[in-house]
Amino acid sequence: MKILYFAWLRERLNRASDEVSPPDGVVTLDDLVTWLRGRDEALDLAMTNPAIFKLSIDARIAPGHTPIAGAREIAILPPMTGG
Amino acid sequence: MILVSQAPFDPGAQANRFHTSHSEAGAMVSFTGLVRSDPRDPITALILECYENLARNELAAIRDAAIARFTLIDAAIIHRHGRLVPGEPIMMVATLSAHRQAAFDGAQFLMDYLKTDAPFWKQEETAQGLRWVDAKPADDAARDRWTR
């Protein structure tokens, strides 16, 4: 599945996306974020306060307990500043 | 109408087209957000990053919620992204209702949710370089009043 990063998170990681295959046991969005942070020090540092980030599955905002089975595109979204 | 685009738009023309499509409306409220340059800390441009697919879905959900909550006849959201210079319209909301209060409330609701729940991120271009605009706790508070 594709992981998308935006705004200052994309800048800190120096890339806009990753292609990953999470192992069995990574079931929910929260599991996925924990797994991603465990394999990437820069992401772990950037997400020290995970509560500020929203997550989306296939372009729909979803809470952390949402299962990721079948997802094609997951985004990690820093606080938004639209309007 | 939901429009997410890099293209400039004419707020007056959009508002006229929107209200003339609904003869049953008695009130229209429209709000246009502009790129602002503070003379004490000027910017040369505002660069808006956007997750387009999510933006279209989220804006449609926010619009549908406003129509249902305030019994609006219709609501429209236009939001630009890309590089904009001071004075340019960034975004616009417009609401149509039978009477004025619902149109005012609906427009305020749309604006408050757009500030915090629409996937856009602003970067200011200054003489010293680029800087990200931080999300404001006051914007969260403005949105949260609708859930109380």
Side-chain angles (χ1 to χ4, degrees):
Chain A
M1 68 181 58
K2 194 169 192 178
I3 312 294
L4 301 179
Y5 309 108
F6 287 93
W8 51 263
L9 181 61
R10 170 181 51 73
E11 274 191 354
R12 285 195 202 174
L13 300 177
N14 209 23
R15 62 187 187 277
S17 66
D18 279 325
E19 197 68 46
V20 301
S21 299
D24 293 346
V26 174
V27 176
T28 66
L29 278 173
D30 282 341
D31 294 342
L32 179 70
V33 169
T34 301
W35 178 71
L36 288 169
R37 290 179 66 183
R39 64 199 283 278
D40 185 329
E41 193 177 352
L43 182 65
D44 189 41
L45 277 172
M47 293 190 74
T48 304
N49 183 7
I52 66 170
F53 295 87
K54 289 186 177 175
L55 304 165
S56 71
I57 296 182
D58 294 336
R60 302 268 177 191
I61 298 281
H65 59 76
T66 309
I68 59 169
R72 294 183 306 277
E73 184 176 281
I74 288 172
I76 302 178
L77 309 157
M80 299 163 186
T81 53
Chain B
M1 175 183 59
I2 301 293
L3 183 60
V4 177
S5 168
Q6 297 210 29
F9 67 93
D10 178 339
Q14 291 289 352
N16 284 335
R17 193 174 307 130
F18 183 58
H19 82 75
T20 52
S21 65
H22 292 281
S23 59
E24 72 273 35
M28 179 180 74
V29 166
S30 74
F31 170 86
T32 304
L34 307 169
V35 178
R36 179 173 60 95
S37 181
D38 183 341
R40 294 164 301 180
D41 186 16
I43 63 168
T44 50
L46 193 64
I47 299 162
L48 281 102
E49 184 170 328
C50 170
Y51 179 7
E52 277 196 63
N53 290 343
L54 178 61
R56 291 199 177 88
N57 290 338
E58 281 298 299
L59 297 192
I62 293 167
R63 172 182 168 275
D64 290 350
I67 288 173
R69 179 167 180 150
F70 303 101
T71 323
L72 301 175
I73 293 166
D74 202 357
I77 304 173
I78 299 171
H79 209 306
R80 291 181 65 190
H81 57 105
R83 185 178 184 277
L84 287 70
V85 297
E88 278 195 89
I90 303 175
M91 52 74 58
M92 172 181 169
V93 299
T95 53
L96 285 170
S97 60
H99 303 286
R100 69 181 185 279
Q101 195 59 51
F104 276 121
D105 290 345
Q108 194 85 57
F109 175 95
L110 287 174
M111 279 311 305
D112 288 344
Y113 271 86
L114 281 175
K115 281 278 181 192
T116 57
D117 287 40
F120 296 86
W121 297 272
K122 290 181 182 135
Q123 217 175 6
E124 292 175 334
E125 183 187 282
T126 73
Q128 292 75 41
L130 295 170
R131 63 189 180 205
W132 290 102
V133 175
D134 289 332
K136 296 180 184 66
D139 289 336
D140 288 329
R143 178 206 55 202
D144 291 346
R145 73 193 158 119
W146 299 104
T147 61
R148 284 197 288 272

